[in-house]
Amino acid sequence: ILGMSFEVSLWFSALVAYAVVIPITLLFLHYDGDLSSIRRMLRLETPKKAALLLAGIPLIVTIMELILNLIYGFAYIGAFGEPSPPDIGVTWESSTLSIVLVLLTTVIIGPIAEELMFRGYVLDSIRKIHGDVLGIILSALLFGMIHFGAYTVGMATLGGVLYGYIRMKTGSLWPSVVSHMIWNAMAMVATYL
């Protein structure tokens, strides 16, 4: 794109794609007549509730996700062998712009777009017809399928179940958004950079 390197073009395109998902999801919600549900899911009524939804619960969820993924990782290695992480084309030796774009895409805009779509729109759409449990499971499976590689699909599906459960219990989208951001940041730094 405009003389940019391949990795910069790739991550710039991913950033734009995620940025397009957000208004499309809001249009879906508007079309379904349920835009007010997102306002309810994003409301932070008091400083105490904000601290709980933005820090306390995400910390607990991240610890739970780490434990679940350790168990999953050992089971996966036992069944299939060592997984190889997908090559995202960025390392510490990449340009500063590439690193900034991959972190912005993966740690900030990606979790916002994905949580809005999967725990905001898809979960509620499925649960209206099939109930809470099936809504959580099916939205988590769909969420898992947008990730690459068998190992990553399983990890994302587990995270999707956890994020969906927390969304249902709190009524808020914030704990899953912040937890997703924390998880992606940890995964990016540990795995790729």
Side-chain angles (χ1 to χ4, degrees), residues 68-146:
L68 283 173
N69 278 295
L70 283 172
I71 294 166
Y72 170 72
F74 286 125
Y76 186 93
I77 290 168
F80 304 109
E82 188 76 29
S84 55
D87 181 13
I88 63 168
V90 177
T91 66
W92 285 119
E93 288 77 34
S94 298
S95 71
T96 303
L97 181 57
S98 294
I99 293 170
V100 167
L101 282 173
V102 76
L103 290 174
L104 183 62
T105 302
T106 306
V107 176
I108 309 267
I109 194 92
I112 292 169
E114 290 175 3
E115 292 306 312
L116 185 62
M117 174 63 80
F118 291 99
R119 257 60 67 189
Y121 179 69
V122 173
L123 173 60
D124 283 352
S125 296
I126 294 171
R127 68 183 268 267
K128 284 178 189 173
I129 299 168
H130 300 289
D132 292 351
V133 173
L134 207 51
I136 291 170
I137 292 169
L138 291 176
S139 66
L141 286 170
L142 290 170
F143 173 68
M145 288 190 299
I146 69 163

Side-chain angles (χ1 to χ4, degrees), residues 2 24 26 31-33 35 56 59 61 79 81-82 113 131 144-146 148 154 158 161 174 179 193:
L2 303 173
I24 288 173
L26 294 173
Y31 178 75
D32 285 352
L35 200 53
L59 179 63
V61 169
E82 188 76 29
M145 288 190 299
I146 69 163
F148 299 106
L158 282 174
V161 168
W174 285 115
S179 298
L193 303 175

Side-chain angles (χ1 to χ4, degrees), residues 154-182:
M155 280 183 22
T157 301
L158 282 174
V161 168
L162 191 56
Y163 300 156
Y165 176 79
I166 294 302
R167 170 37 240 301
M168 295 304 302
K169 285 298 181 187
T170 64
S172 177
L173 207 52
W174 285 115
S176 61
V177 168
V178 175
S179 298
H180 195 158
M181 287 175 169
I182 293 168

